[in-house]
């Protein structure tokens, strides 16, 4: 056993590393841990980890699966060297009542246990899972562990040898145990990252549909992130100076205040208890002012990665003149409004008066008021402000069309 280097100096595990009395070399063990932690960012790379474990442990089979605390709702991250149809056969036959999985979930988490330590020999002889299925697969020496990921989610790790191989030694099991804390950490990081990505996608889409531009500035006031709406607004050279370098306004009447807000928010971004930030209106010829808000970026290291905590600021851009999402079809679908009622509701929610609605639609003000009364009754709204929230902030504001 040993290591080799690629021409670029990148370390790889030797072609067939095996555990010896001294265990893996430090370089091989480090490379194996790298495979473990890659799962956090790329869960599909669990296949590479299991292949390495099979090779190192001289095993016939290895798998990673997620299930709830009862052992139900099993989902395999990877099962090697099984093909997808073989995994489906197992799930259909034993997915809900694998006796070995049920036994390990009742045992201590975070360490590998052998089949004989979990299931009495009489049960192994009589239960069809061991007697028929494991025998047909050539599985004899099963070693299994479970990791508690959260209150109702577990990871099941399995490593198997066949009947013509020797059982796993105490040293081999101890080696596998040493991987478990790293694996749990990688899975937790991956789970947190996935949830954060979902929340980020929701927020991004929500801001996009609301016509809200968002920018994150670094400690020098330079943009390090912006959504599509923000990027489009920044292209207006009448409002903002060159996008290269610190963010700055063209309008001298508010440029100094804007710079001051950015500096203040960057300085306060590391403080949890001090409020800061503010908003300004940037004048535009023939249009309503662009509303620019600046807030401190409150860093929260949810993943426990100790990422950079340097000062940052968040800038939001709201253009009152931008077209709104047309939610009239959604109003009909959600609240049972007629097309004419939805039209009146949508116009009122976007700031039109009863008189202006009547003039735009060519109907009388009494007709508009009559339709509004039906809108109030169907939506449960009591005031015009309620309709405003309904159109601008309720579920109908997620309309995909503009």
């Amino acid at each position: 056993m040993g290591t080799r280097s690629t021409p670029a100096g990148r370390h790889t595990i030797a072609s067939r590393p095996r555990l010896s009395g001294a265990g893996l070399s430090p370089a091989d063990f480090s490379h194996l841990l790298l495979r473990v932690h890659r799962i956090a960012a790329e869960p599909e790379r669990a296949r590479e980890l299991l292949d390495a474990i099979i090779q190192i442990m001289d095993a016939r089979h290895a798998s990673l699966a997620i299930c709830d605390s009862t052992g139900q709702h099993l989902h395999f991250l990877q099962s090697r060297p099984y093909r997808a149809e073989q995994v489906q056969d197992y799930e259909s036959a034993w997915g809900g009542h694998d006796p070995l999985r049920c036994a390990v979930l009742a045992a201590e988490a975070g360490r590998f246990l052998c089949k004989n330590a979990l299931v009495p020999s009489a049960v192994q002889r009589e239960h069809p899972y061991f007697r028929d299925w494991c025998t047909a697969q050539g599985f004899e020496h099963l070693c299994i562990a479970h990791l508690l990921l959260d209150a109702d989610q577990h990871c099941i790790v399995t490593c198997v040898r066949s009947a013509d191989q020797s059982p796993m030694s105490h040293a081999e099991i101890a080696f596998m145990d040493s991987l478990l804390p790293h694996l749990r950490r990688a899975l937790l990081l991956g789970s947190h990252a996935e949830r954060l990505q979902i929340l980020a996608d929701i927020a991004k889409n929500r801001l996009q549909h609301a016509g809200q531009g968002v920018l994150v500035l670094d400690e020098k006031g330079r943009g390090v992130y912006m959504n599509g709406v923000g990027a489009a607004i920044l292209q207006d050279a009448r409002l903002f100076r060159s996008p290269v370098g610190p963010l700055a306004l063209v309008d001298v009447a508010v440029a100094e205040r804007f710079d001051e807000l950015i500096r203040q928010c960057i300085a306060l971004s590391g403080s949890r208890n001090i409020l800061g930030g503010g908003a300004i209106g940037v004048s535009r010829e023939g249009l309503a002012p662009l509303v620019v808000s600046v807030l401190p970026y409150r860093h929260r290291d949810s993943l426990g990665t100790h990422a950079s905590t340097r000062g940052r600021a968040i800038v939001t851009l709201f253009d009152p003149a931008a077209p709104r999402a047309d939610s009239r079809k959604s109003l009909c679908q959600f609240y049972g409004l007629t097309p004419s009622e939805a039209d009146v509701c949508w116009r009122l929610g976007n700031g039109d008066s009863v008189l202006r609605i009547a003039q735009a639609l060519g109907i009388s003000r009494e007709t508009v008021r009559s339709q509004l009364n039906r809108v109030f009754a169907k939506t449960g709204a009591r005031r015009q402000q309620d309709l405003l929230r309904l159109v601008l902030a309720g579920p109908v504001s997620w309309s995909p069309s503009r």
Side-chain angles (χ1 to χ4, degrees):
M1 181 184 70
T3 63
R4 58 185 174 88
S5 296
T6 64
R10 184 177 57 191
H11 174 269
T12 62
I13 291 181
S15 58
R16 293 192 63 81
R18 290 282 185 269
L19 281 177
S20 64
L24 283 182
S25 71
D28 277 341
F29 187 70
S30 296
H31 194 66
L32 185 61
L33 289 184
L34 177 62
R35 293 180 185 271
V36 172
H37 288 285
R38 278 175 176 166
I39 297 175
E42 302 172 272
E44 66 276 6
R45 300 193 75 162
R47 177 176 62 182
E48 298 174 8
L49 171 64
L50 293 181
D51 286 345
I53 289 174
I54 288 173
Q55 187 175 328
I56 292 168
M57 297 297 294
D58 194 23
R60 179 187 179 105
H61 171 78
S63 66
L64 282 175
I66 304 296
C67 67
D68 62 19
S69 57
T70 66
Q72 305 291 319
H73 308 295
L74 187 72
H75 166 65
F76 277 96
L77 295 178
Q78 282 291 341
S79 184
R80 302 290 291 168
Y82 273 12
R83 299 185 300 275
E85 57 269 22
Q86 292 174 295
V87 173
Q88 291 171 1
D89 289 343
Y90 166 82
E91 290 177 338
S92 61
W94 304 106
H97 51 281
D98 179 335
L100 190 61
R101 186 168 72 250
C102 294
V104 77
L105 286 172
E108 179 185 354
R111 70 189 189 101
F112 273 94
L113 295 167
C114 292
K115 174 184 68 173
N116 293 340
L118 290 167
V119 182
S121 56
V123 175
Q124 294 182 39
R125 289 192 299 269
E126 298 170 4
H127 199 288
Y129 170 78
F130 298 101
R131 186 191 64 216
D132 302 330
W133 194 82
C134 287
T135 301
Q137 303 301 315
F139 293 173
E140 176 60 29
H141 307 298
L142 294 92
C143 199
I144 188 169
H146 83 99
L147 300 171
L148 181 62
L149 301 181
D150 58 35
D152 194 46
Q153 192 175 50
H154 297 254
C155 175
I156 306 294
V157 191
T158 309
C159 188
V160 183
R161 283 178 177 168
S162 57
D164 59 354
Q165 295 176 292
S166 61
M168 293 177 199
S169 67
H170 292 298
E172 289 173 323
I173 293 176
F175 165 75
M176 293 290 288
D177 283 344
S178 70
L179 296 177
L180 292 179
H182 300 280
L183 179 60
R184 180 175 183 272
R185 182 65 172 162
L187 291 172
L188 285 173
L189 283 172
S191 177
H192 289 323
E194 183 179 23
R195 292 172 188 173
L196 288 174
Q197 185 62 55
I198 291 171
L199 291 174
D201 289 342
I202 292 172
K204 181 180 178 181
N205 289 332
R206 188 71 177 90
L207 290 168
Q208 194 80 14
H209 286 302
Q212 190 92 8
V214 177
L215 299 88
V216 177
L217 308 182
D218 66 12
E219 71 278 7
K220 294 184 178 180
R222 299 170 301 194
V224 293
Y225 167 81
M226 65 186 71
N227 67 354
V229 176
I233 295 176
L234 285 186
Q235 296 303 312
D236 191 339
R238 296 168 299 178
L239 300 175
F240 293 94
R241 299 192 185 279
S242 171
V244 178
L247 187 65
L249 290 170
V250 172
D251 187 349
V252 294
V254 291
E256 185 175 347
R257 173 59 178 160
F258 182 61
D259 293 343
E260 179 187 348
L261 283 173
I262 291 176
R263 289 194 299 269
Q264 177 195 82
C265 290
I266 290 173
L268 293 176
S269 62
S271 171
R272 302 296 182 203
N273 302 315
I274 302 178
L275 299 177
I280 57 175
V282 182
S283 299
R284 298 181 295 176
E285 185 177 353
L287 294 172
L290 178 74
V291 180
V292 182
S293 301
V294 188
L295 296 168
Y297 182 98
R298 305 294 189 186
H299 177 78
R300 296 184 63 186
D301 191 8
S302 303
L303 299 181
T305 56
H306 303 288
S308 171
T309 57
R310 291 176 298 178
R312 290 185 176 183
I314 299 174
V315 177
T316 64
L317 309 171
F318 179 69
D319 183 359
R324 297 278 185 272
D326 189 340
S327 56
R328 283 171 279 200
K329 289 183 179 179
S330 297
L331 287 167
C332 295
Q333 178 183 355
F334 293 161
Y335 300 106
L337 304 185
T338 65
S340 57
E341 292 167 352
D343 196 6
V344 168
C345 178
W346 182 78
R347 290 175 183 274
L348 189 71
N350 279 279
D352 287 352
S353 65
V354 170
L355 176 59
R356 189 171 177 179
I357 294 172
Q359 292 172 340
L361 299 180
I363 57 179
S364 68
R365 284 181 286 181
E366 288 71 24
T367 300
V368 173
R369 291 194 181 97
S370 176
Q371 291 176 334
L372 279 176
N373 286 335
R374 293 195 293 273
V375 169
F376 281 119
K378 291 181 179 181
T379 62
R382 296 183 179 181
R383 302 173 299 168
Q384 184 171 329
Q385 289 88 337
D386 296 334
L387 289 182
L388 187 66
R389 291 193 200 95
L390 197 71
V391 173
L392 298 182
V396 295
S397 65
W398 286 78
S399 173
S401 59
R402 280 199 169 273

